[in-house]
Amino acid sequence: MSLRSLAMRSELLTLSGISHLTEHDGYFVQSTPTEPDFWMGNQLIMSDVILSAPETFSTFEKHFPDASNRSVVWDIPNLDPLKMHGVGDLGYTLDVFDRMTLQGSLPDAVMPDGMSVRP
């Protein structure tokens, strides 16, 4: 199983120094043991909408029994949020986000001494 969205691959690359990723049947568990309260570092990454909302959040609680938050991400590019039945019924808020990608080379920029911009 591999991550499909550029957003999730980028996020995990950014957190590679502190984050651990374990694969399970149909989902990943991302954890940041040195940052137990980092919401987006301690989450389930679902590969599909195969579990009901109660089953999904129960799975989160199995992996993070002491968490004060619940963070679940569906690694499904262009997922229609209307397909996420039951999330709001459990009292959770569903957020949708986009990622920007660079199409071409970076434009030249004047940078302060000691700083640089590179792809």
Side-chain angles (χ1 to χ4, degrees):
M1 190 168 80
S2 63
L3 295 171
R4 294 180 280 186
S5 70
L6 178 60
M8 290 311 308
R9 292 191 312 261
S10 298
E11 182 176 315
L12 291 177
L13 180 63
T14 302
L15 296 174
S16 64
I18 64 168
S19 178
H20 298 282
L21 191 68
T22 54
E23 184 177 343
H24 297 267
D25 188 24
Y27 65 95
F28 292 98
V29 174
Q30 178 187 10
S31 63
T32 51
T34 59
E35 301 287 339
D37 296 323
F38 178 30
W39 287 25
M40 300 308 289
N42 296 289
Q43 63 187 353
L44 290 187
I45 303 171
M46 306 300 293
S47 63
D48 208 340
V49 186
I50 54 174
L51 299 177
S52 68
E55 291 170 320
T56 299
F57 289 99
S58 176
T59 301
F60 177 94
E61 291 165 1
K62 178 179 85 172
H63 291 285
F64 301 101
D66 299 324
S68 61
N69 69 292
R70 304 294 177 267
S71 180
V72 178
V73 175
W74 282 266
D75 179 39
I76 305 171
N78 303 313
L79 174 63
D80 181 356
L82 297 176
K83 292 185 178 183
M84 306 308 298
H85 303 290
V87 173
D89 296 341
L90 296 174
Y92 297 108
T93 301
L94 183 64
D95 291 325
V96 178
F97 58 90
D98 290 318
R99 288 286 202 266
M100 294 186 296
T101 59
L102 178 66
Q103 303 295 320
S105 59
L106 288 169
D108 288 333
V110 177
M111 297 297 298
D113 289 340
M115 296 185 77
S116 65
V117 176
R118 60 185 178 270

